[in-house]
């Protein structure tokens, strides 16, 4: 028979493209547990609480899903027996902005060879086709590398309060923007923007949104020179288009510590920071993590419901 799973937290309110936090119990025979949302799976974490059967998991309803998508608590045993329990969630719908970006020849001449060369890919004689290859295939490859870098996470939360937003910056683009790319009056491609573009001064210092461990500090396709930080429990932040990286993989950083400088590496038309928040590589809306009240209500309040453990937590993915 499959292991048992009981959802403990009662209220789960989130918006499309956002996430929430839940607590659940599983029987001792479960070797893998977490939350399934359509084809996505978000592993839970054991050992946060004095009661070893209580697990915690963030789960998202990504921007490409429907608000009616059901979230299910999942537990599996070593033999592969699986139990799924649907739990109550309310997903608020939202409308994402539609934007058209003009792609001119000077941009193509500058960016297509740069990205292909930095990605160690062959040159493309046709710049429009080269751009489409970058905007589609290189973009997909970038997300695969992100998934690899965010496959495992610290089993305890490293953040305290709201994430720090890039100082003195103004938003150029938002999370979930539906972008159409126009060249010589013709729409040549469409993509979804999975973060915030924040601009301040050229080559401004880029700071860590919260404490954590650097898991990636290298060139990352469309994101250019980039840094990814693990903040625990599957939460990661990404800093893209950097002109300089000042941290190394494996380095511990504190909230507000400089990790690089803004730039226009990768698929950027000007100097700015691309900032993403991700749950195990799935992009979610960063706005929630800039909101101290949201973190208190959705995360801390649930963590405080049960006595915490004194031993090290582990992931149950």
């Amino acid at each position: 028979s499959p292991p048992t799973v009981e959802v403990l937290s009662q209220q789960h309110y989130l918006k499309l493209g956002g996430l929430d936090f839940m607590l659940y119990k599983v029987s001792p025979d479960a070797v893998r547990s977490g939350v399934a949302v359509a084809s996505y799976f978000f592993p839970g974490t054991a050992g946060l609480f004095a009661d070893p059967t209580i697990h915690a998991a963030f789960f998202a309803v990504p921007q490409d899903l429907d608000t009616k998508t059901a979230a299910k608590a999942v537990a599996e045993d070593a033999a592969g027996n699986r139990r799924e329990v649907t739990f109550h969630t309310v997903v608020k719908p939202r409308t994402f902005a539609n934007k058209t970006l003009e792609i001119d020849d000077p941009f193509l001449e500058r960016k297509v060879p740069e990205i292909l060369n930095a990605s160690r890919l062959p040159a493309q004689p046709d710049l429009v086709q080269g751009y489409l290859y970058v905007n589609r295939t290189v973009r997909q490859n970038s997300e695969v590398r992100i998934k690899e870098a965010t496959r495992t996470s610290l089993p305890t939360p490293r953040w305290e309060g709201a994430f720090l937003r890039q100082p003195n910056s103004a938003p150029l683009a938002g999370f979930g923007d539906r972008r159409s790319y126009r060249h010589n009056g013709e729409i040549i491609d469409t993509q979804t923007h999975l973060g915030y573009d924040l601009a301040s001064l050229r080559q401004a210092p880029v700071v860590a949104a919260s404490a954590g461990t650097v898991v990636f500090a290298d060139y990352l396709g469309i994101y250019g020179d980039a840094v990814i930080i693990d903040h625990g429990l599957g939460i990661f932040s990404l800093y893209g288009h950097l002109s300089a990286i000042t941290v190394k993989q494996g380095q511990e950083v504190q909230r507000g510590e400089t990790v690089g400088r803004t730039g226009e590496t990768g698929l950027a038309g000007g100097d700015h920071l691309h900032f993403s928040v991700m749950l195990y590589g799935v992009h979610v809306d960063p706005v929630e993590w800039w909101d101290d009240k949201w973190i208190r209500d959705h995360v801390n309040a649930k963590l405080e419901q049960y006595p915490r453990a004194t031993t090290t937590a582990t992931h149950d993915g």
Side-chain angles (χ1 to χ4, degrees), residues 283-303:
H283 295 263
V284 295
D285 196 340
V287 168
E288 296 170 338
W289 289 90
W290 290 329
D291 183 352
D292 191 64
K293 184 178 186 302
W294 182 89
I295 293 175
R296 289 199 312 270
D297 292 348
H298 288 257
V299 185
N300 295 351
K302 294 171 184 175
L303 285 172

Side-chain angles (χ1 to χ4, degrees), residues 4-314:
T4 61
V5 55
E6 174 192 0
V7 177
L8 301 176
S9 49
Q10 299 298 313
Q11 297 184 334
H12 306 101
Y13 296 97
L14 62 163
K15 60 184 177 181
L16 187 64
L19 48 68
D20 204 0
F21 190 63
M22 58 91 74
L23 304 179
Y24 62 97
K25 276 189 174 186
V26 293
S27 52
D29 55 334
V31 297
R32 181 175 184 263
S33 70
V35 180
V37 181
S39 61
Y40 296 91
F41 177 77
F42 305 103
T45 300
L48 286 170
F49 302 98
D51 182 344
T53 67
I54 299 178
H55 293 56
F58 279 103
F59 68 97
V61 179
Q63 51 78 34
D64 60 341
L65 295 183
D66 186 88
T67 56
K68 297 182 176 63
T69 305
K72 301 175 182 179
V74 176
E76 292 182 358
D77 63 17
N81 296 307
R82 176 183 176 102
R83 189 183 299 274
E84 297 182 350
V85 175
T86 301
F87 60 96
H88 179 67
T89 59
V90 176
V91 183
K92 184 178 179 181
R94 61 185 297 189
T95 301
F96 296 104
N98 290 296
K99 296 185 177 180
T100 300
L101 276 64
E102 300 291 342
I103 306 298
D104 60 19
D105 288 335
F107 175 81
L108 296 179
E109 291 165 2
R110 187 171 80 253
K111 281 294 166 183
V112 172
E114 171 200 313
I115 295 172
L116 292 175
N117 181 62
S119 303
R120 299 178 181 177
L121 294 168
Q124 296 269 354
D126 185 302
L127 288 177
V128 171
Q129 290 304 312
Y131 174 77
L132 294 177
Y133 182 83
V134 167
N135 208 32
R136 297 171 182 174
T137 304
V138 175
R139 182 183 296 273
Q140 291 174 351
N141 293 343
S142 302
E143 297 304 326
V144 170
R145 292 188 70 190
I146 288 172
K147 279 284 193 181
E148 292 171 351
T150 60
R151 192 178 306 279
T152 60
S153 178
L154 298 164
T156 52
R158 293 291 309 279
W159 66 86
E160 291 183 6
F163 278 23
L164 180 64
R165 177 170 157 163
Q166 177 71 5
N168 305 314
S169 63
L172 298 177
F175 174 80
D177 288 356
R178 273 45 176 168
R179 288 180 166 181
S180 297
Y181 301 87
R182 186 162 55 199
H183 177 258
N184 290 342
E186 179 186 354
I187 300 297
I188 59 172
D189 204 10
T190 58
Q191 297 290 341
T192 300
H193 187 245
L194 298 174
Y196 264 78
D197 287 346
L198 302 169
S200 53
L201 300 174
R202 287 185 64 84
Q203 297 188 2
V206 172
V207 299
S210 194
T213 302
V214 176
V215 296
F216 186 93
D218 203 348
Y219 191 81
L220 186 58
I222 64 162
Y223 297 103
D225 286 329
V227 170
I228 301 175
I229 300 174
D230 177 11
H231 304 290
L233 301 188
I235 303 299
F236 296 81
S237 57
L238 180 150
Y239 312 78
H241 305 318
L242 304 181
S243 62
I245 295 173
T246 58
V247 292
K248 296 180 179 179
Q249 183 175 336
Q251 182 176 332
E252 298 289 319
V253 294
Q254 300 303 313
R255 184 179 189 268
E257 184 174 341
T258 299
V259 300
R261 292 191 174 273
T262 62
E264 49 186 308
T265 57
L267 203 54
D271 186 294
H272 69 275
L273 169 69
H274 175 96
F275 177 74
S276 285
V277 172
M278 302 169 295
L279 175 58
Y280 288 109
V282 177
H283 295 263
V284 295
D285 196 340
V287 168
E288 296 170 338
W289 289 90
W290 290 329
D291 183 352
D292 191 64
K293 184 178 186 302
W294 182 89
I295 293 175
R296 289 199 312 270
D297 292 348
H298 288 257
V299 185
N300 295 351
K302 294 171 184 175
L303 285 172
E304 293 165 2
Q305 285 183 318
Y306 301 95
R308 296 291 293 273
T310 56
T311 56
T312 304
T314 58

